[in-house]
Amino acid sequence: MPVLSEDSGLHETLALLTSQLRPDSNHKEEMGFLKDVFSEKSLSYLMKIHEKLRHYERQSPTPVLHSAAGLVEDVIEELQTAPVNNEEKELLQLLSTPHLRAMLVVHDTVAQKNFDPVLPPLPDNFDDDFDEESVKIVRLVKNKEPLGATIRRDEHTGAVIVARIMRGGAADRSGLVHVGDELREVNGIAVLHKRPEEISQILAQSQGSITLKIIPAIKEEDRLKDSKVFMRALFCYNPKEDRAIPCQEAGLPFKRRHILEVVSQDDPTWWQAKRVGDTNLRAGLIPSKQFQERRLMYRRSIGTQP
């Protein structure tokens, strides 16, 4: 078998490995499968891209310009204000294409290292009424997705408590917010005397970064363990029509015969689940099996359920 040099890349290694595959009567199907996989053009292109990236990584290249898009704008302006020949006209058309403009914008973004989310400084109006060790300031970055947490009012103390963390949501992915934490401020707005509906509206309207002032729970609950419980729905469910659900926006609608993966059964009334095959990785609330059975029995007893 030929020997590869130290400078040989993955593409050469793959090509050599493909050439060395020989028919084998005992593993004919497996050898044919490997040869087909290694001969795929897409895999070859990926290997070449990998080699190019490794090559430039070793060279540590630096951008010549940090504002290529601005330079192109200047060139276009010069060409438009003066008579042009055929070559200059062709250059003007090339520089005006949206694909090239988009590529230059991406180049400038990478050159300026402007691809990480920029968090604003902490507001100055955070008070110091609490012990530093007992207060935690959490900053989360989210897009248009919901925060993925529900809240409730403690009946005895009146505190706003994190009641539930939705699996796969922004709060769950951060690992900084836990069930039982007391919420004091949202983006500098005190929430102690606000209704849970008002607080939920503030959280829903906040885009980009959200700053929370939290008093951690005395004993943080253990992280929810992964579950592999799958169920087939025997009825259709629309959370917007369910008056009992604690948060309609957090509900998971499903139809009869949908396959659901139950990821949390910690709450005896409301489970967290995902639809199998759904691209949305965030879990939603569904009525638990026991709760739904009790509701059906009650509806049948009063004659509203056939």
Side-chain angles (χ1 to χ4, degrees):
M1 180 175 179
V3 180
L4 292 170
S5 65
E6 295 182 357
D7 297 331
S8 299
L10 285 176
H11 182 255
E12 289 83 358
T13 306
L14 182 63
L16 180 60
L17 182 60
T18 305
S19 65
Q20 296 301 311
L21 292 177
R22 296 289 184 268
D24 188 334
S25 58
N26 296 327
H27 305 87
K28 187 175 181 180
E29 292 184 2
E30 289 84 350
M31 297 296 286
F33 172 75
L34 283 177
K35 192 165 185 178
D36 291 340
V37 171
F38 292 156
S39 302
E40 279 285 339
K41 288 185 177 180
S42 58
L43 181 59
S44 176
Y45 293 152
L46 286 175
M47 296 299 103
K48 288 182 178 180
I49 292 172
H50 175 78
E51 291 175 16
K52 291 290 185 182
L53 291 175
R54 291 295 303 273
H55 174 71
Y56 285 112
E57 186 180 29
R58 288 192 293 267
Q59 285 188 337
S60 299
T62 56
V64 179
L65 288 174
H66 290 77
S67 57
L71 178 61
V72 167
E73 293 290 345
D74 295 339
V75 173
I76 291 177
E77 185 177 354
E78 288 289 337
L79 293 175
Q80 289 177 339
T81 56
V84 294
N85 54 34
N86 292 335
E87 294 180 352
E88 292 171 338
K89 185 177 181 180
E90 182 181 1
L91 175 61
L92 180 60
Q93 292 176 344
L94 288 173
L95 296 179
S96 302
T97 56
H99 296 86
L100 181 61
R101 303 282 287 274
M103 183 187 68
L104 294 174
V105 171
V106 172
H107 168 273
D108 293 346
T109 300
V110 176
Q112 299 169 14
K113 298 183 178 180
N114 192 25
F115 35 77
D116 290 330
V118 179
L119 297 177
L122 288 174
D124 298 329
N125 56 353
F126 274 118
D127 52 46
D128 299 324
D129 295 340
F130 311 105
D131 183 8
E132 290 183 359
E133 296 181 356
S134 65
V135 176
K136 178 170 63 174
I137 296 177
V138 176
R139 175 160 290 169
L140 305 177
V141 177
K142 75 179 188 71
N143 298 321
K144 295 182 179 180
E145 62 174 333
L147 184 61
T150 61
I151 56 177
R152 62 177 175 85
R153 177 79 66 179
D154 189 284
E155 296 180 357
H156 302 288
T157 64
V160 180
I161 305 298
V162 177
R164 185 182 289 104
I165 301 294
M166 306 303 299
R167 296 292 298 272
D172 178 54
R173 295 196 304 270
S174 73
L176 301 174
V177 184
H178 303 89
V179 173
D181 287 351
E182 180 182 348
L183 184 62
R184 284 300 184 95
E185 292 184 6
V186 177
N187 289 341
I189 302 174
V191 298
L192 186 59
H193 302 292
K194 292 185 179 296
R195 300 193 308 273
E197 296 80 10
E198 295 178 297
I199 302 171
S200 298
Q201 187 174 6
I202 295 173
L203 292 171
Q205 293 175 349
S206 300
Q207 300 297 331
S209 66
I210 299 179
T211 303
L212 308 175
K213 177 180 280 189
I214 290 174
I215 298 180
I218 297 176
K219 182 180 179 181
E220 292 185 346
E221 297 186 1
D222 295 333
R223 300 291 291 162
L224 299 175
K225 296 181 180 180
D226 289 337
S227 172
K228 290 295 181 184
V229 179
F230 294 89
M231 295 183 174
R232 184 187 295 277
L234 300 180
F235 61 96
C236 297
Y237 178 70
N238 184 359
K240 294 183 179 180
E241 299 176 356
D242 192 348
R243 296 182 179 180
I245 191 170
C247 179
Q248 292 183 339
E249 290 75 14
L252 178 72
F254 57 84
K255 294 183 179 180
R256 181 184 175 91
R257 303 187 66 80
H258 275 177
I259 303 298
L260 305 177
E261 179 186 358
V262 180
V263 297
S264 173
Q265 301 181 40
D266 287 0
D267 190 319
T269 306
W270 297 101
W271 291 350
Q272 296 186 35
K274 298 184 291 186
R275 291 188 297 264
V276 174
D278 199 344
T279 57
N280 186 3
L281 300 179
R282 295 190 301 274
L285 295 181
I286 64 170
S288 68
K289 182 174 180 288
Q290 297 82 0
F291 178 60
Q292 186 66 15
E293 288 176 349
R294 289 200 305 268
R295 287 205 293 192
L296 288 177
M297 291 178 63
Y298 173 74
R299 291 171 182 171
R300 286 170 182 168
S301 67
I302 62 175
T304 59
Q305 178 73 29

